[in-house]
Amino acid sequence: MSTPADAQRMEKIVSLCKRRGFIFQSSEIYGGLNGLWDYGPLGVELKRNLKNYWWRVTVHERDDVVGMDGAILTHPEVLKASGHVEGFSDPMIDCRTCKAHLRFDQLIEKKGVKQCPNCGGKDLTDARQFNLMFETHVGAAAEESSIAYLRPETAQSIFVQFKNSLEVSRKKLPFGIAQIGKAFRNEINPRNFTFRSREFEQMELEYFCRPEQGTELLEYWKEERLKFYENIGISRANLHVRNVPDEERAFYSKGTYDIEYDFPFGRQELEGVAYRTDYDLSQHQKASGKSLEYFDEETKQRFIPHVVEPSAGVDRTVLALICEGYAEDQAPDEKGKMETRLVLRFHPRMAPIKCGIFPLLKNNERLVAKAKEVVDLLRPHMFVFYDESGAIGRRYRRQDEIGTPFCVTVDFETLGEKDEKLRDTVTLRERDSMKQERIAISDLLAALSVRIA
Ligand code: ATP
């Protein structure tokens, strides 16, 4: 259960996201569009770091996974075969008192009577199925034949391109196809900031295997995915694995784990890892009439592979990173008086800006020139930020608040004015411990690279 303190923490996080340029409401100057969000200058960096790291460990660091990037507009037959046209819906109810549209599972129940969570009204319509897919028309004529859907998940284009990807990559089972991309769901009640949006991104892997390997691979991928979250800085204590019970699982799934995170608004799903058997490929083979079988050269057998699918949400993970990193601690101000410090303790790997670079004074040409040399040295290797305005302490605080793990200050010692031995050294300050060390400029790149890799 989330407490008032949790709600307050969430409010502060939402406000920081806007104030520092992580996440803005979409179309804000026109009053906003519900369930849609835009990522600002820092949000886009955080999101990219997450996606790049997922791609690196899922595709580049493995021999058995290839990538793809499918179209968003999807042929209706694809989504008929997958079951989305018929069944991708949530039961919806209207409250006749306050006119709210509600998902059935959001109703509250008091003394056995269902009520509207907004106004407490008991005058509710019957539940009806509401399909979550966005429909559009392709081509100039808006007639039935040109209907297309905005994909509700990235997975289907992977299944539909299974044969092509297999042929060009010449992989043997087990092997996977990975994709990162936008997905769209007309959620009845978008809420909890970006957690439930109408447009979002997914990072999905379809890992194809022999039927007898499925159960073991489900366990393997669950563990791999937990490691992933730990490697991006989410503590294991805040992650939970839910073994989804039979009655909640899709009928074709032989096992599903939800990886959940303790958000301030409660424990919620970050990712689903599902053993989907051969359901998707079989459906597309049946509907398209094209063989999606795999030919095993050793045994000379032909069969439809089974698949294990780790399916993660980019936006939910970005939100988890921000919630996980958000902290308030005490730090001395310019005069040594303790003040509350706001800090985003991102793992250096995820941090939008890796290093802030400051000349001690902005009106000293030699300090500025030297600091810009440091910028030029680091910039080809990492995203750095040059800042010369305000007292150094203030500049540190600004970087703390956006999660920059390291700051470098160029001072008079760097210029060799105080001690010749300190010429071409700088102060390197670490965000969490606030500890400072003196380091040679020539060692800086190597020192930072190992910490952000
Ligand atoms: P939920 O039960 O929360 O609606 P789901 O089980 O329908 O999620 P999946 O279909 O398994 O979700 O999608 C895989 C992942 O895609 C989810 O774990 C989540 O991270 C992400 N995702 C799904 N729907 C949304 C959404 N509306 N907004 C943001 N991310 C989403």
Side-chain angles (χ1 to χ4, degrees), residues 92-96 100 104 107 122-128:
M92 182 167 99
I93 283 192
D94 297 333
C95 168
R96 291 198 185 93
F104 184 73
L107 296 179
K122 298 183 192 96
D123 189 6
L124 307 168
T125 62
D126 289 338
R128 61 191 184 283

Side-chain angles (χ1 to χ4, degrees), residues 350-393:
M350 290 295 113
I353 295 168
K354 307 300 182 194
C355 186
I357 298 164
F358 319 142
L360 185 64
L361 301 170
K362 73 169 169 193
N363 51 10
N364 180 302
E365 271 177 32
R366 292 171 62 219
L367 288 175
V368 168
K370 200 72 190 174
K372 291 201 169 155
E373 263 178 43
V374 177
V375 169
D376 291 340
L377 170 78
L378 298 180
R379 188 164 269 170
H381 308 277
M382 64 191 78
F383 189 35
V384 299
F385 182 74
Y386 174 81
D387 187 6
E388 56 179 26
S389 66
I392 283 290

Side-chain angles (χ1 to χ4, degrees), residues 213-230:
Q213 296 171 309
T215 305
E216 199 180 310
L217 283 168
L218 174 66
E219 299 302 314
Y220 167 81
W221 279 109
K222 176 197 67 179
E223 292 303 320
E224 284 297 297
R225 298 304 304 146
L226 286 169
K227 265 190 254 161
F228 174 87
Y229 289 109
E230 288 186 74

Side-chain angles (χ1 to χ4, degrees), residues 185 187 195-197 200 202 269-272 311-313 316:
R185 297 182 188 179
E187 298 280 357
F195 179 83
R196 188 174 298 287
S197 312
F200 54 95
Q202 291 184 313
E269 175 183 330
L270 273 185
E271 163 161 1
S311 168
R316 285 187 188 179

Side-chain angles (χ1 to χ4, degrees), residues 121-151:
K122 298 183 192 96
D123 189 6
L124 307 168
T125 62
D126 289 338
R128 61 191 184 283
Q129 289 300 321
F130 175 74
N131 194 299
L132 301 181
M133 286 200 296
F134 285 99
E135 197 181 290
T136 188
H137 295 271
V138 170
E143 64 226 12
E144 182 78 5
S145 59
S146 61
I147 282 180
Y149 295 99
L150 271 63
R151 62 182 178 190

Side-chain angles (χ1 to χ4, degrees), residues 76-333:
E77 294 305 326
V78 170
L79 295 163
K80 273 185 201 155
S82 66
H84 285 88
V85 171
E86 188 62 33
F88 193 61
S89 50
D90 278 342
M92 182 167 99
I93 283 192
D94 297 333
C95 168
R96 291 198 185 93
T97 313
C98 73
K99 312 280 180 253
H101 304 300
L102 303 160
R103 239 171 52 179
F104 184 73
D105 61 1
Q106 290 171 338
L107 296 179
I108 49 172
E109 195 167 320
K110 281 199 184 141
K111 294 185 187 144
V113 181
K114 296 241 186 271
Q115 296 185 0
C116 169
N118 299 340
C119 71
K122 298 183 192 96
D123 189 6
L124 307 168
T125 62
D126 289 338
R128 61 191 184 283
Q129 289 300 321
F130 175 74
N131 194 299
L132 301 181
M133 286 200 296
F134 285 99
E135 197 181 290
T136 188
H137 295 271
V138 170
E143 64 226 12
E144 182 78 5
S145 59
S146 61
I147 282 180
Y149 295 99
L150 271 63
R151 62 182 178 190
E153 58 178 32
T154 61
Q156 294 308 320
S157 56
I158 298 181
F159 295 126
V160 171
Q161 292 296 355
F162 167 75
K163 202 78 185 197
N164 280 334
S165 300
L166 175 66
E167 275 169 17
V168 297
S169 64
R170 296 169 36 240
K171 296 282 178 208
K172 302 263 180 296
L173 287 182
F175 82 98
I177 305 174
Q179 176 165 216
I180 299 178
K182 289 270 189 180
F184 302 80
R185 297 182 188 179
N186 197 2
E187 298 280 357
I188 297 169
N189 263 158
R191 66 202 160 128
N192 289 330
F193 199 23
T194 56
F195 179 83
R196 188 174 298 287
S197 312
R198 289 184 165 136
E199 172 173 345
F200 54 95
E201 269 181 285
Q202 291 184 313
M203 306 182 280
E204 292 195 301
L205 169 67
E206 302 303 329
Y207 196 76
F208 300 99
C209 63
R210 292 165 199 287
E212 62 275 17
Q213 296 171 309
T215 305
E216 199 180 310
L217 283 168
L218 174 66
E219 299 302 314
Y220 167 81
W221 279 109
K222 176 197 67 179
E223 292 303 320
E224 284 297 297
R225 298 304 304 146
L226 286 169
K227 265 190 254 161
F228 174 87
Y229 289 109
E230 288 186 74
N231 286 340
I232 60 172
I234 294 186
S235 82
R236 186 64 181 81
N238 290 333
L239 292 168
H240 306 275
V241 176
R242 194 170 84 96
N243 193 345
V244 180
D246 289 356
E247 62 277 14
E248 284 181 42
R249 276 200 322 262
F251 69 90
Y252 48 78
S253 169
K254 275 201 181 167
T256 301
Y257 292 115
D258 281 351
I259 299 180
E260 300 179 323
Y261 176 72
D262 285 326
F263 287 97
F265 44 84
R267 188 172 291 177
Q268 298 278 353
E269 175 183 330
L270 273 185
E271 163 161 1
V273 185
Y275 174 19
R276 301 175 63 97
T277 65
D278 60 356
Y279 174 77
D280 304 273
L281 288 180
S282 299
Q283 287 292 103
H284 288 302
Q285 171 165 297
K286 226 186 291 164
S288 68
K290 306 274 175 355
S291 163
L292 296 178
E293 284 177 329
Y294 175 84
F295 179 65
D296 186 325
E297 277 159 25
E298 272 169 38
T299 63
K300 308 289 173 210
Q301 276 178 322
R302 231 173 248 290
F303 61 97
I304 295 185
H306 279 216
V307 73
V308 174
E309 173 197 77
S311 168
V314 174
D315 309 76
R316 285 187 188 179
T317 311
V318 165
L319 186 58
L321 287 171
I322 296 173
C323 293
E324 180 83 7
Y326 183 91
E328 291 171 23
D329 63 11
Q330 295 292 311
D333 69 5

